[in-house]
Amino acid sequence: MTTLADLDARWLAEARARVAAGGPWERTPAEIERAVHAVRDSRRAAAPASLSCPFCEHHPPLADFRRYESVTFTPLRYCPNCYGFWASGDSLARGVGDPGTDHPALRAGQAPRRCRACNGHLKASGDCTKCERALPPTRCPACRTPMNRFEQKGITVDGCDTCHGTWFDMGEIAAVFEVAPPQGLAAATVDEHATEDGPPAWFLALDILLRLFVPFI
């Protein structure tokens, strides 16, 4: 098992080697970024080969939620079919997406919970109003064991005690992390301190015309 003392000794040896070669004591930002990506890729390779959606009927494979600025060791994954999200490790340590991320999976609103047997509406207890069956537990996308339901900021999500991951149904991750839609150009250029006390537009246009033509009359 690698200890902190082992890591310190390795860092010191690498720093001395860089200085001996005429380089800087610390690694450059580019080298640090490459090292982070290398560790992330190695963890991805060691991760389960197929993580499948626990919500969709045919359990399609989960895809990586691409982020270019919010780099984490463990990728955030989502289902392109139902827009559910699977978060584990440090995948949410830097937030859900990059600043200004505009993705349909984040724009999708929360859907009312339905029975997976007959598609009927569910009571607050989780029982179906149509077939009266109880909502079965959601199975972990990684280890397939039943997950436990818990509340996070008033939203009921599913968590795996074995894999320490959390499954968010459609719209839940945006609600829990308060993901705001990206601001468009029109909204970004609006002066929030502006008031309606100024003169009307027709008065400003008339004033401009008078300034242009009155000196020549």
Side-chain angles (χ1 to χ4, degrees):
M1 179 179 180
T2 304
T3 64
L4 290 177
D6 296 333
L7 294 175
D8 289 341
R10 185 189 306 171
W11 175 85
L12 185 59
E14 292 175 353
R16 286 175 174 172
R18 284 193 296 271
V19 173
W25 180 262
E26 293 283 357
R27 290 184 295 178
T28 64
E31 291 174 335
I32 295 175
E33 184 178 359
R34 284 196 296 269
V36 169
H37 281 282
V39 174
R40 183 188 62 183
D41 293 341
S42 65
R43 292 192 178 185
R44 285 182 179 179
S50 60
L51 292 173
S52 58
C53 176
F55 182 83
C56 295
E57 181 180 0
H58 300 292
H59 306 295
L62 300 180
D64 288 358
F65 189 73
R66 296 295 181 184
R67 298 175 295 180
Y68 301 96
E69 297 181 33
S70 306
V71 179
T72 57
F73 289 119
T74 307
L76 179 64
R77 295 182 171 91
Y78 79 108
C79 175
N81 184 49
C82 71
Y83 291 153
F85 277 84
W86 171 247
S88 61
D90 67 335
S91 59
L92 292 175
R94 297 179 178 271
V96 179
D98 294 331
T101 298
D102 185 18
H103 194 282
L106 295 181
R107 294 197 306 267
Q110 288 180 253
R113 294 194 305 164
R114 295 275 189 167
C115 175
R116 296 177 187 175
C118 67
N119 202 36
H121 291 283
L122 296 178
K123 304 176 185 177
S125 61
D127 296 337
C128 178
T129 58
K130 187 176 180 180
C131 68
E132 298 184 352
R133 296 183 183 179
L135 182 67
T138 304
R139 293 188 174 274
C140 174
C143 66
R144 310 297 191 265
T145 59
M147 293 189 287
N148 298 315
R149 297 188 179 96
F150 66 96
E151 280 200 7
Q152 190 170 358
K153 291 188 177 181
I155 306 297
T156 303
V157 296
D158 300 279
C160 179
D161 295 335
T162 303
C163 299
H164 305 290
T166 304
W167 173 259
F168 300 85
D169 285 333
M170 183 176 68
E172 292 180 345
I173 196 169
V176 170
F177 288 88
E178 299 177 354
V179 178
Q183 192 177 31
L185 180 61
T189 55
V190 171
D191 184 4
E192 60 181 6
H193 301 292
T195 64
E196 297 181 356
D197 297 333
W202 67 265
F203 183 85
L204 295 176
L206 179 61
D207 181 64
I208 294 173
L209 291 174
L210 289 175
R211 290 175 183 275
L212 291 175
F213 297 106
V214 167
F216 301 101
I217 299 176

